[in-house]
C-alpha cells in the first residue's frame, strides 16, 4: 500500500486483511515513490494499492506475482495499462468517491484566484495592508472541460452563482446538459467565451498539452484557468508566459507536470494559487477511497 493518506485509515481494514489472510506492507518512506523504489517494492507482491506512484512497464517487469493493481483514486495515468493487460494484471480504481472533494477544491481555487485570497493573506501577514480589487464569479461564463463525475459536481456546486455554463467533452452527456440547461460547444468556443475555465479530463495521449500556446491565445484577457485534473494537460511553459505577461488574469493549480514543482517559475507568480495535489485529500474522500480500493483488491485477489 503506497498512498500516504491511507496510513491514517488503515486500522479500519485490519479485520478484513486478517480475515483474508493478506499480509500488508505499508510504504515505509511515507511519500510518493520513485520508479526505482517501486521496482524494488513490487517484487514479491500479489496485490498493490497505489496512489500516484509510477507503475511503468519497467516496474511491472519486476512484478512477477502481481495479480491486481488497485488504484486509490481515479486517474490511472501513472499505470501502464497495456503492460498490465499483457501480464493479466487486473487494474481497478475508485470512480466517483472523491469527486465532491476535488470539486470543492476547484470552487475554492476559483474564488481564491478571483479575490486574490492567498496574496492578500501573504501581504497582510507581512504588514502590507493592501486592499486588492478582485472579480466576482456571479453571472459569469464558466467553461468546463470534461463533464465526468468531477466536472458535473463542479457545475452542481456552482449553481447559486447563476453562471452561464459551456462544456466540452469527447463524449458529451446531452441528457444531463438539457436537464441542467447548459450547452456543449467546441473547445475553441469554450476557450473564447469563458471567464473561468476548469479542467476535468484524464491525462491521456490525447489530452497531453491539450491547453498550450495556441489554446491560451484564444482566452479572454480576464480569463482564469483552474486545473485540478493532471499537470500534463496544460503546457506549463506557455501558461507561465501568458500569466507573466498578464495575457490572462490568473490560474489555480493543484497538479503539475512534475510533482513537487520545486523549480517551476509558476511558483513565483502572484496571479497563481497553488496547492499540493490535495484534490482528493479530505477525511471523507480518503475513507471512501480506501474502502473501495481494499474491496477491489480483495475481490480481484479472490479472482
Ligand atoms: P471521469 O472519468 O468521470 O470524467 C472524465 C471526463 O473526461 C469524461 O466525461 C470523458 O468523456 C472526458 N474525456 C476523456 N478524454 C477526453 C478528451 N480527449 N477530450 C475531452 N474529454 C475527454 O473522471 P473524474 O472522476 O471526473 O476525474 C477526472 C480527472 O480528475 C481524473 O482522470 C484525474 O486525473 C483527476 N483527478 C484529480 C484529483 C486530484 O487530487 N487533484 C483527484 C481525482 C481525480
Amino acid at each position: 500500500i503506497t498512498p500516504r493518506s491511507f496510513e491514517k485509515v488503515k486500522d479500519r481494514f485490519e479485520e478484513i486483511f486478517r480475515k483474508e489472510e493478506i499480509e500488508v506492507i505499508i510504504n515505509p518512506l511515507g511519500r510518493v515513490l520513485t520508479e526505482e523504489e517501486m521496482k524494488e517494492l513490487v517484487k514479491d507482491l500479489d496485490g498493490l494499492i497505489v496512489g500516484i506512484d509510477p507503475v511503468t512497464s519497467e516496474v511491472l517487469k519486476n512484478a512477477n506475482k502481481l495479480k491486481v493493481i488497485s488504484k486509490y483514486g481515479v486517474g490511472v495515468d501513472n499505470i501502464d495499462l497495456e503492460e498490465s493487460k499483457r501480464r493479466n494484471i487486473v487494474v481497478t480504481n475508485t470512480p466517483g468517491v472523491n469527486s465532491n472533494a476535488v470539486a470543492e477544491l476547484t470552487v475554492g481555487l476559483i474564488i481564491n484566484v478571483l479575490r486574490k485570497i492567498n496574496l492578500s493573506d501573504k501581504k497582510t501577514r507581512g504588514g502590507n495592508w493592501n486592499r486588492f480589487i478582485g472579480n466576482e464569479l456571479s453571472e459569469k461564463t464558466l467553461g468546463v472541460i470534461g463533464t465526468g463525475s468531477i466536472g458535473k459536481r463542479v457545475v452542481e456546486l456552482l449553481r447559486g452563482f447563476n453562471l452561464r455554463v459551456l462544456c466540452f467533452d469527447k463524449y458529451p452527456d446531452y441528457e444531463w446538459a438539457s436537464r441542467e440547461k447548459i450547452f456543449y460547444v467546441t473547445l475553441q468556443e469554450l476557450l473564447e467565451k469563458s471567464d473561468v475555465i476548469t479542467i476535468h479530463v484524464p491525462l491521456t495521449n490525447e489530452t497531453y498539452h491539450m491547453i498550450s500556446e495556441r489554446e491560451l491565445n484564444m482566452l479572454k484577457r480576464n480569463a482564469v484557468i483552474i486545473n485540478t485534473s493532471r499537470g500534463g494537460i496544460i503546457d506549463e511553459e506557455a501558461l507561465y508566459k501568458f500569466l507573466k505577461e498578464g495575457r490572462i488574469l490568473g490560474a489555480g493549480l493543484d497538479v503539475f507536470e512534475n510533482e513537487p514543482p520545486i523549480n517551476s517559475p509558476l511558483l513565483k507568480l502572484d496571479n497563481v494559487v497553488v496547492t499540493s495535489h490535495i484534490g482528493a485529500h479530505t477525511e471523507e474522500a480518503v475513507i471512501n477511497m480506501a474502502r473501495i480500493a481494499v474491496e477491489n483488491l480483495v475481490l480481484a485477489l479472490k479472482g
Side-chain angles (χ1 to χ4, degrees), residues 102 148-150 169-171 201-202 206-207 228 230 254 277 279-280:
V102 184
S149 185
I150 299 171
D169 198 292
K170 193 175 175 185
Y171 305 104
V201 287
E206 261 176 43
T207 61
T228 57
R230 279 294 182 270
D254 184 44
H277 202 147

Side-chain angles (χ1 to χ4, degrees), residues 84-102:
S84 307
K85 198 172 168 194
R86 222 177 51 73
R87 292 173 170 269
N88 284 329
I89 299 170
V90 177
V91 179
T92 61
N93 68 348
T94 62
V97 291
N98 58 21
S99 306
N100 185 61
V102 184

Side-chain angles (χ1 to χ4, degrees), residues 15 81 87 131 148-149 160 167 170 183 245 253 291 297:
E15 182 70 36
L81 296 178
R87 292 173 170 269
R131 297 173 65 216
S149 185
C167 296
K170 193 175 175 185
F183 302 98
E245 293 169 5
L253 307 171
R291 185 173 45 80
L297 177 96

Side-chain angles (χ1 to χ4, degrees), residues 2-55:
T2 67
R4 189 169 160 207
S5 56
F6 196 101
E7 182 90 47
K8 295 192 180 76
V9 294
K10 73 172 196 306
D11 293 351
R12 293 170 179 252
F13 304 103
E14 256 167 25
E15 182 70 36
I16 299 180
F17 290 135
R18 202 174 325 116
K19 203 173 116 222
E20 302 293 336
E21 295 180 352
I22 295 172
E23 185 197 339
V24 178
I25 302 168
I26 302 254
N27 168 5
L29 298 175
R31 57 161 168 75
V32 177
L33 300 178
T34 62
E35 189 177 40
E36 281 307 309
E37 289 161 353
M38 285 298 287
K39 274 161 81 174
E40 268 310 298
L41 181 76
V42 297
K43 272 183 183 157
D44 296 316
L45 300 182
D46 300 289
L48 173 68
I49 294 182
V50 72
I52 55 175
D53 324 74
V55 189

Side-chain angles (χ1 to χ4, degrees), residues 52 73-77 93-99 101-102 105 145-152 168-173 184 187 199-208 210 227-230 233 254-255 259 276-281 289:
I52 55 175
V74 188
V76 287
D77 49 278
N93 68 348
T94 62
V97 291
N98 58 21
S99 306
V102 184
L105 181 73
I145 303 178
T147 54
S149 185
I150 299 171
K152 283 185 175 129
F168 172 73
D169 198 292
K170 193 175 175 185
Y171 305 104
D173 182 347
Y184 279 101
L187 181 59
I199 303 177
H200 304 291
V201 287
L203 176 62
T204 62
N205 288 341
E206 261 176 43
T207 61
Y208 178 76
M210 178 184 206
N227 189 9
T228 57
S229 184
R230 279 294 182 270
I233 294 166
D254 184 44
V255 285
E259 295 181 359
S276 48
H277 202 147
I278 54 169
H281 281 201
M289 285 193 300

